[in-house]
Amino acid sequence: MIHKFREKLIQIFFFLNGLSVILILGGIFFLLLRYTWPAFKEIQMAEFLFGKFWDPTAYVKPAYGILAMLMSTFMVTVGALTIAVPLGIGTAAYLSDVASPKVREIAKPVVEILAGIPSVVIGFLGIVLVGPVIAKLTGTTNGLNAINGAILLSVMSLPTIISLSEDALTNVPKSFQEASLALGGSQWQTLILVKIPAASSGIVAACMLGMGRAIGETMTVLMATGNAPAMPSKLTDPIMTMTSTIAIELGEVPYYTTHFYGLFAIGLVLFIITFIINMVSDIILHRYERQTRY
Amino acid sequence: MKNFLKIIMVFSVLLLGVADSHAQMIQVKGSDTLINLVQKLAEEYMMKNPGKNIAVTGGGSGTGVAALLNNKCDIANASREMSLKEYEQASDRGITPVTIVVALDGLSIIVNPDNSVEELTKDQVAKIFRGEIRNWSEVGGKDMPVNLYGRQSNSGTYEFMKTAVLKGDFSGKMSRMNGNAQIVAAVQADESGIGYVGVGYVKDSTGIKVLNIALKEGGEYASPLDKIKVDTGIYPLSRPLYQFVNGNPQGDVKEFIAFELSPEGQRIVEEEGFFSIPQEYVGLNKKAGL
């Protein structure tokens, strides 16, 4: 009797644990909605979505457009992925198929340590190391720009991409590999033509999670991208992303004003973007799980 | 294991120590322009008065005033006056801000030493930062684009430039830097750069050039490093630097502010590159009971 009761209690305990995560997520979404709602009493939805400039403390007329920061976020994210995806998949392929077990034993933890470096440290490296190098290479006068942000974010999303892609490659059934080798394929052909395609959904999901990491990152881009709110036209322009805008302005904004609610609206847009990315990568991952079952 | 215990002990002592001294710790927060100066003042004060504790942090004038309104600091440093909105918020929260002027600043416009431009009018400065003048050749320099460096919107200096100099909005192309020191570093590296910083940041800085500024074309071009020109307002970008407290200061806070305003405190102000309080603000400080 007591035994049964205890069993039930434990069941409820774990159920509540699982439920709390959903409640927290729902709560955050609800809070964002609640604080975003009043913003649109004064801001036109069209101005918010298609307005180029964000300058709520303007001298003449406050502007509440997010297009320039959306573009900025897009630029650093795509830039980061262009660097991190080939590098990450390459590293993952090396770790899963080429490296000797000894090398793998050392390299894998090192990759995971990379994930643990605080973003403020990476931002600092962007200012003192990457910035001057970019300035010299591009012939510009200042290295705090979109390229700098893209490089730093690629470093930050690499661990996610490498470690999840490596898992996907390792999980490709051994029979696939053996079949390819038996048919006379070389190790290279097996990797490129058999294993990577077989693991493709896992790899795509890894890249998307890496992308989510890049979009939401704040401190690094805040420090290293120059923070100019104008619409960027090229990669060497200083940019101001959505996350930097929130971080810079939330500290001093008078509470419960349109500006305050507007910052939550930016937060909501960010939340929706990362939510979609995570959901899509989750769907892709599930497909991959089904595929590899047989 | 022994080491582990030691670490725990050290930590708990630290925590207890912090908790204990927190009661008498004076919290000063705000302006990045003032932070070095007030830190220096606090150090000297603590040396003279063992047992007193003052913590000075930055974040920008807006952050300091917000902290004062939220009762999170005793003194808010600011390089601008409080806005009407902030006064409204203060009265909503039952806070009576009292204004004290601690120093005078000649807001300095800095460029790279390789830039041939030596002087600008206030109007030209405004046009440059509004993004209307985009090439140095328009103000007598080389043919190269102007790169703007300024501060973020929580900065009092940003606000001062916007309302007192630009009378308009900053160009969207201006890079919003984290602090005065970052602006100095950016201008040192950028031949075509221009930035604005408190005069305390140019005194010992190498690799930058301070421009002489005139109120109008044909007027006298003055340097912010010249005390008399800043005092008399011939240098057009002079401004007082403020501290705000809740109600007339009492006890330790009063004692510290009195030290800042004393001849000794004002000597430190000058040493740090700023200027001592001119006569016109002494009366204002008297009203605060100092």
Side-chain angles (χ1 to χ4, degrees):
Chain A
M1 187 61 194
I2 288 177
H3 193 72
K4 231 182 182 177
F5 181 68
R6 223 180 67 178
E7 200 85 327
K8 193 86 193 156
L9 216 62
I10 291 171
Q11 210 178 11
I12 291 174
F13 174 72
F14 282 110
F15 173 71
L16 286 179
N17 275 322
L19 197 68
S20 67
V21 179
I22 297 172
L23 281 180
I24 290 171
L25 184 72
I28 290 175
F29 186 65
F30 174 75
L31 203 80
L32 276 174
L33 268 184
R34 223 198 80 184
Y35 278 121
T36 298
W37 187 248
F40 292 102
K41 281 182 196 156
E42 282 186 43
I43 311 171
Q44 300 288 321
M45 190 57 112
E47 189 206 340
F48 181 73
L49 290 176
F50 304 113
K52 269 191 188 171
F53 292 108
W54 179 265
D55 193 0
T57 56
Y59 189 74
V60 190
K61 186 181 176 295
Y64 292 99
I66 62 165
L67 214 55
M69 45 176 133
L70 260 179
M71 181 68 192
S72 300
T73 297
F74 181 75
M75 268 167 79
V76 278
T77 309
V78 171
L81 287 181
T82 335
I83 304 169
V85 166
L87 200 60
I89 297 177
T91 312
Y94 170 75
L95 284 177
S96 74
D97 280 70
V98 185
S100 65
K102 222 177 206 166
V103 172
R104 192 177 320 150
E105 237 165 74
I106 299 166
K108 247 212 130 165
V110 169
V111 168
E112 270 140 31
I113 289 171
L114 192 62
I117 299 176
S119 53
V120 67
V121 173
I122 297 201
F124 179 70
L125 289 178
I127 293 177
V128 301
L129 187 75
V130 183
V133 172
I134 292 175
K136 216 168 248 173
L137 289 181
T138 58
T140 46
T141 45
N142 182 328
L144 299 178
N145 52 28
I147 305 179
N148 196 334
I151 292 174
L152 298 180
L153 287 184
S154 73
V155 172
M156 301 189 73
S157 53
L158 265 179
T160 313
I161 297 179
I162 293 174
S163 111
L164 289 177
S165 302
E166 204 251 0
D167 287 347
L169 284 170
T170 321
N171 283 338
V172 172
K174 200 103 191 136
S175 54
F176 284 31
Q177 190 175 353
E178 282 159 357
S180 163
L181 291 174
L183 287 168
S186 65
Q187 203 186 1
W188 168 253
Q189 285 168 327
T190 308
L191 181 64
I192 295 297
L193 299 172
V194 177
K195 286 195 76 177
I196 290 184
S200 64
S201 48
I203 292 173
V204 170
C207 296
M208 296 210 65
L209 285 174
M211 182 172 158
R213 174 99 177 83
I215 287 180
E217 176 51 41
T218 308
M219 195 33 120
T220 307
V221 284
L222 177 66
M223 291 170 78
T225 57
N227 299 322
M231 176 67 83
S233 56
K234 51 187 187 299
L235 277 169
T236 50
D237 279 343
I239 53 158
M240 189 151 154
T241 63
M242 304 166 76
T243 49
S244 322
T245 307
I246 298 177
I248 289 172
E249 292 179 5
L250 201 58
E252 49 94 27
V253 62
Y255 277 30
Y256 313 118
T257 56
T258 306
H259 183 185
F260 176 80
Y261 294 126
L263 291 175
F264 277 92
I266 302 178
L268 183 67
V269 173
L270 256 179
F271 182 87
I272 293 172
I273 294 175
T274 41
F275 185 79
I276 292 174
I277 290 173
N278 278 307
M279 212 169 65
V280 171
S281 58
D282 201 55
I283 292 170
I284 296 174
L285 256 182
H286 274 291
R287 208 185 73 193
Y288 144 83
E289 268 167 18
R290 268 205 310 279
Q291 249 178 15
T292 50
R293 207 159 287 160
Y294 46 86
Chain B
M1 196 59 204
K2 241 186 187 165
N3 272 333
F4 183 68
L5 275 179
K6 261 188 208 159
I7 291 170
I8 295 263
M9 269 162 65
V10 168
F11 260 102
S12 38
V13 168
L14 275 177
L15 281 176
L16 283 175
V18 168
D20 195 18
S21 63
H22 191 80
Q24 331 129 18
M25 173 102 77
I26 301 177
Q27 297 285 345
V28 188
K29 198 173 177 67
S31 169
D32 180 69
T33 307
L34 270 165
I35 186 169
N36 286 347
L37 168 62
V38 177
Q39 235 156 24
K40 185 82 199 191
L41 284 163
E43 273 167 30
E44 291 280 326
Y45 177 76
M46 287 189 283
M47 232 156 54
K48 293 223 143 48
N49 302 281
K52 307 273 171 159
N53 268 312
I54 302 172
V56 186
T57 49
S61 304
T63 314
V65 173
L68 186 75
L69 298 185
N70 293 331
N71 257 327
K72 284 192 183 133
C73 71
D74 303 296
I75 302 174
N77 291 334
S79 58
R80 60 167 169 87
E81 288 187 72
M82 272 175 64
S83 69
L84 277 178
K85 239 183 207 156
E86 284 165 344
Y87 273 112
E88 270 167 33
Q89 286 183 319
S91 72
D92 285 350
R93 292 165 197 213
I95 285 168
T96 14
V98 171
T99 310
I100 291 147
V101 172
V102 284
L104 191 70
D105 180 24
L107 182 62
S108 307
I109 307 295
I110 56 170
V111 296
N112 191 280
D114 291 338
N115 192 326
S116 57
V117 173
E118 299 284 343
E119 51 192 29
L120 293 171
T121 65
K122 189 179 169 187
D123 190 47
Q124 283 173 322
V125 172
K127 278 189 175 142
I128 287 173
F129 278 98
R130 285 200 303 255
E132 287 156 23
I133 294 178
R134 296 199 182 135
N135 196 299
W136 281 107
S137 62
E138 291 174 58
V139 289
K142 289 181 217 170
D143 178 24
M144 57 184 177
V146 177
N147 277 351
L148 301 173
Y149 298 100
R151 296 279 309 283
Q152 294 159 0
S153 59
N154 56 352
S155 147
T157 315
Y158 177 96
E159 211 57 39
F160 173 80
M161 279 290 282
K162 197 168 75 181
T163 51
V165 183
L166 269 63
K167 303 205 163 50
D169 285 315
F170 280 105
S171 158
K173 298 226 180 267
M174 180 176 83
S175 286
R176 269 72 167 167
M177 314 300 271
N178 277 320
N180 284 284
Q182 242 190 31
I183 297 180
V184 172
V187 171
Q188 278 170 343
D190 187 345
E191 191 192 344
S192 56
I194 182 169
Y196 59 85
V197 293
V199 67
Y201 283 84
V202 302
K203 198 188 70 170
D204 296 324
S205 296
T206 50
I208 52 168
K209 184 164 73 178
V210 182
L211 294 183
N212 295 336
I213 310 291
L215 185 60
K216 286 190 192 78
E217 203 161 343
E220 184 186 348
Y221 287 90
S223 160
L225 298 164
D226 186 337
K227 176 171 168 50
I228 297 169
K229 300 276 165 65
V230 175
D231 253 1
T232 50
I234 292 174
Y235 182 74
L237 306 182
S238 71
R239 57 170 183 169
L241 298 174
Y242 301 95
Q243 285 188 328
F244 298 105
V245 286
N246 179 14
N248 276 2
Q250 307 290 338
D252 282 354
V253 174
K254 180 175 182 174
E255 219 173 89
F256 174 58
I257 296 176
F259 170 76
E260 293 180 309
L261 303 180
S262 70
E264 200 189 351
Q266 292 297 304
R267 182 181 52 79
I268 297 169
V269 166
E270 300 261 347
E271 272 172 16
E272 287 296 300
F274 292 97
F275 304 112
S276 51
I277 315 162
Q279 209 52 39
E280 54 178 307
Y281 294 111
V282 171
L284 183 78
N285 291 343
K286 281 219 174 86
K287 260 203 286 185
L290 289 152

